[in-house]
Amino acid sequence: MRGMTNTPPKTGLARNTANYGDRDFALYLRRSFAKSMGYSQTMLDKPVVGIVDTGSDYNNCHRTVPELIEAVKRGVLAAGGLPMAFPTVSLCEPSLFPTSMHYRNLAAIDTEAMLTAQPMDAAVLVGGCDKTVPAQLMAAASADIPAVQLVTGPMLATPFQGERLSACTDCRRYWAMYRAGTVSGERIAQIEGRLATTAGTCGVMGTASTMACIAEALGMIPLGHGSIPAVHADRLRAAEEAGALAVRLITNPIKPSQIITAKSVENALRVLLALGGSTNALIHLTAIAGRIGVKIDLERLNMLSDTTPVIVDLKPTGEGYMEDFHSAGGMPALLWELRDLLHLDCIDVTGTTLGERLSEPQFVDRRYIRARAEPVSPVGGIVSLFGSLAPRGAILKRSAATPSLFEKEARAMVFDGLEDLANRIDDPDMDVTADDILVLKNAGSLTPAGMPEAGYLPIPRKLALAGVKDMVRMSDCRMSGTAFGTIVLHITPEAAAGGPLALVETGDIIRLSIKNRSLDLLVDEAVLATRRAAWVPPEKPKRGWDRIIHEQVLQADEGCDLALMRQGG
Ligand code: FES
């Protein structure tokens, strides 16, 4: 009888048989149970493509996942495979407490475990919202089975009273105006229903779209597929193609470790910089690269940043929305513009080199993807900073910052954590001016706050009402990819790890110099030594995931991955 030999082929359903002490019996049992789902023997003999299903009623960005999975299945079946969808943790930015970042590593563990424990020859990873794609790429890099990334795609912007609106730069823009008293409560309530009106991920070059572009630059998404809007029919065709491609990867195996390499990671960094993309993407790319033993050096990032212009004109740093980027030529056009800066020998999931994929000039609409000679900014969007306040680095998105604040030596106004920030930021009696530097500490990855996107500290209400639009703000947490301002992020080591940030007090002088790439705390070492001796580390969470995070999570310069999940543990 078929499959009853002592040496079953370790493909398809015969992979990873459960441990009953008798592999033939385990496979027999597996087939028997699979038949209870109505599969024929013909289907069960086919190579298996696992499809990661992150659909969830809590995840608006993944609303289209069910139809995408149907399309992936079509592609798999037509190419001769057996599609098997399975659920994993689904993460949606606004739906999770304390933050989705707190659970990115949980999703990565879950996905890796299911990719390796269940029988499959290749996988299609269906994600979209900010943390799902990083988690899936981290998992795929570690599991190292052939995999194709499929994203849900961005939402469309909504025409509204003479302008267009989309999540979430416009959410922040209008909320800031509401705080400043220039938008009424009635109008802000009306706009609430206009910011996200179609399925899909946020419609600007926020973290989700930046990660889709990065996945495409790495080679894990076929060229041109990352930015297709969620509601376009092409998105379903891309899903069908992802399924067919996964089947092709079974007969011509290309593993993530052949695609995600030091060179393709550097290509992805160039793309991140040229996009003026999300600062979060740097943490995620660092974590993905860490899974294959590649370290992203922040000094190298500065070199890349100084030689990579921002050429994509999208919100939050520019004007357009993701649908404009896609119709302007998307990643093929962007990569074409950057081609002499890229490693062209990197292969992607189709097995072709980047050079082969860019063998011909690509269509480009210059309104949204500029020529290198006429960039949005002649240098890259992100810089890293080092100094006595950030010995292992910090970053600033200069493309979203105010140049007049780039060189600043000023008094610190310190908030000890999120609660302190919430309690005092709008206090009309707070001694703060637009010249001060707002500092938030104890909001890094080690804290129960879960490294939130709180780096976009609100302008104190009394200053906002007086018309202040930007101030220097700094913290050990993150900023939404859709936010903007002169904001130093990811100060490493974070305060909860006992970094110098923990020692900063209101009234201290901080010097920020973008020109020198430096961030320094101008306080005598003797004073700091006294403060250091009095510093008390935060309490350990008692149990569960919070405890695992507290004991295992690495700092931002290592992608905030869990120590035991990186290559080599
Ligand atoms: Fe999911 Fe913005 S909330 S992409």
Side-chain angles (χ1 to χ4, degrees):
M1 188 185 294
R2 188 197 302 269
M4 294 292 286
T5 66
N6 286 331
T7 54
K10 289 187 181 171
T11 59
L13 229 57
R15 281 180 183 270
N16 307 330
T17 46
N19 273 341
Y20 291 112
D22 177 343
R23 211 165 56 194
D24 289 346
F25 171 70
L27 181 55
Y28 169 75
L29 200 65
R30 177 176 284 172
R31 282 199 306 265
S32 170
F33 278 60
K35 282 178 178 169
S36 78
M37 295 187 280
Y39 290 112
S40 64
Q41 186 63 54
T42 306
M43 290 309 298
L44 296 181
D45 282 343
K46 291 181 183 295
V48 176
V49 173
I51 306 168
V52 179
D53 178 355
T54 47
S56 158
D57 284 353
Y58 286 99
N59 197 333
N60 55 286
C61 306
H62 291 205
R63 192 180 98 195
T64 53
V65 166
E67 63 173 346
L68 287 175
I69 287 180
E70 284 311 307
V72 174
K73 286 182 172 177
R74 279 203 303 274
V76 172
L77 288 168
L82 170 62
M84 303 279 281
F86 60 96
T88 61
V89 167
S90 179
L91 305 175
C92 181
E93 288 302 297
S95 299
L96 291 159
F97 175 84
T99 64
S100 66
M101 183 64 186
H102 193 59
Y103 297 103
R104 182 203 65 182
N105 293 333
L106 182 65
I109 287 182
D110 175 11
T111 308
E112 180 184 339
M114 292 301 102
L115 288 177
T116 51
Q118 299 175 129
M120 65 189 78
D121 302 291
V124 176
L125 315 163
V126 187
C129 196
D130 295 16
K131 307 304 179 297
T132 55
V133 172
Q136 290 175 339
L137 292 175
M138 290 160 71
S142 291
D144 208 22
I145 68 165
V148 181
Q149 181 76 58
L150 175 70
V151 292
T152 54
M155 64 176 67
L156 297 180
T158 306
F160 179 68
Q161 297 182 353
E163 63 174 329
R164 288 189 296 166
L165 299 178
S166 185
C168 214
T169 302
D170 296 323
C171 322
R172 293 173 199 285
R173 181 167 62 88
Y174 268 98
W175 192 253
M177 290 194 278
Y178 171 60
R179 279 180 58 78
T182 54
V183 160
S184 68
E186 196 183 337
R187 185 155 172 85
I188 199 80
Q190 189 183 25
I191 286 166
E192 182 180 291
R194 296 289 178 274
L195 291 164
T197 58
T198 79
T201 49
C202 287
V204 299
M205 193 52 80
T207 306
S209 294
T210 305
M211 285 310 303
C213 293
I214 279 181
E216 205 168 322
L218 286 171
M220 294 295 290
I221 292 180
L223 194 58
H225 285 194
S227 56
I228 302 168
V231 296
H232 277 196
D234 283 345
R235 174 54 61 202
L236 292 169
R237 279 184 279 274
E240 193 178 299
E241 199 174 321
L245 190 50
V247 176
R248 286 208 295 280
L249 284 174
I250 297 170
T251 42
N252 298 304
I254 302 171
K255 293 184 171 181
S257 58
Q258 295 168 271
I259 298 169
I260 305 172
T261 63
K263 284 182 176 179
S264 70
V265 166
E266 188 156 303
N267 286 348
L269 279 173
R270 290 274 191 198
V271 163
L272 168 62
L273 293 162
L275 290 171
S278 164
T279 48
N280 288 319
L282 185 60
I283 291 188
H284 299 319
L285 185 58
T286 302
I288 294 160
R291 293 298 184 100
I292 47 125
V294 170
K295 174 150 179 65
I296 290 181
D297 176 0
L298 290 179
E299 303 273 12
R300 174 93 180 137
L301 174 74
N302 277 339
M303 194 285 286
L304 296 174
S305 191
D306 287 343
T307 54
T308 311
V310 178
I311 56 173
V312 173
D313 193 357
L314 288 199
K315 289 175 188 286
T317 57
E319 286 307 314
Y321 291 90
M322 278 307 291
E323 66 216 60
D324 303 319
F325 176 68
H326 184 67
S327 56
M331 282 295 288
L334 179 66
L335 292 171
W336 174 261
E337 292 301 321
L338 299 176
R339 63 193 182 286
D340 60 298
L341 298 175
L342 302 174
H343 301 285
L344 296 177
D345 54 340
C346 295
I347 57 166
D348 77 346
V349 281
T350 66
T352 53
T353 66
L354 184 55
E356 288 165 338
R357 279 172 275 143
L358 297 177
S359 58
E360 290 176 3
Q362 306 289 323
F363 166 78
V364 60
D365 180 340
R366 292 290 180 213
R367 284 177 297 172
Y368 301 106
I369 302 174
R370 305 267 191 90
R372 289 261 292 283
E374 295 173 70
V376 176
S377 157
V379 288
I382 297 173
V383 288
S384 55
L385 309 166
F386 293 90
S388 58
L389 187 52
R392 284 168 55 185
I395 61 166
L396 178 135
K397 186 172 180 178
R398 61 181 161 185
S399 58
T402 307
S404 60
L405 297 175
F406 280 8
E407 307 299 315
K408 184 99 182 160
E409 189 171 310
R411 183 180 70 149
M413 165 56 67
V414 179
F415 299 91
D416 273 331
L418 291 173
E419 202 178 329
D420 185 30
L421 176 70
N423 288 341
R424 289 197 295 128
I425 193 71
D426 289 338
D427 180 350
D429 297 327
M430 185 166 57
D431 174 21
V432 65
T433 74
D435 248 355
D436 290 333
I437 294 175
L438 303 181
V439 179
L440 171 66
K441 54 190 189 181
N442 297 313
S445 56
L446 269 175
T447 66
M451 204 179 187
E453 293 182 336
Y456 178 72
L457 276 70
I459 302 292
R461 189 184 289 274
K462 69 176 183 182
L463 298 180
L465 290 172
V468 175
K469 297 271 188 302
D470 194 10
M471 292 173 70
V472 177
R473 291 160 269 179
M474 51 186 66
S475 70
D476 48 9
C477 57
R478 298 175 301 115
M479 175 173 87
S480 165
T482 60
F484 44 87
T486 309
I487 296 175
V488 177
L489 303 158
H490 314 171
I491 292 179
T492 308
E494 64 178 280
L501 182 62
L503 311 181
V504 184
E505 294 184 0
T506 292
D508 289 350
I509 302 297
I510 291 174
R511 185 195 297 139
L512 166 71
S513 172
I514 304 306
K515 181 162 55 91
N516 297 327
R517 310 283 189 267
S518 64
L519 183 64
D520 290 292
L521 176 60
L522 307 184
V523 175
D524 281 353
E525 183 46 43
V527 174
L528 292 178
T530 307
R531 292 181 191 172
R532 198 173 294 117
W535 179 73
V536 180
E539 218 175 292
K540 272 188 184 181
K542 292 210 171 6
R543 61 176 294 280
W545 180 245
D546 291 355
R547 176 68 172 252
I548 292 171
I549 279 276
H550 188 85
E551 291 178 351
Q552 284 288 327
V553 79
L554 297 165
Q555 294 286 284
D557 59 342
E558 295 178 300
C560 301
D561 199 357
L562 301 183
L564 82 173
M565 298 308 290
R566 276 164 74 90
Q567 196 186 63

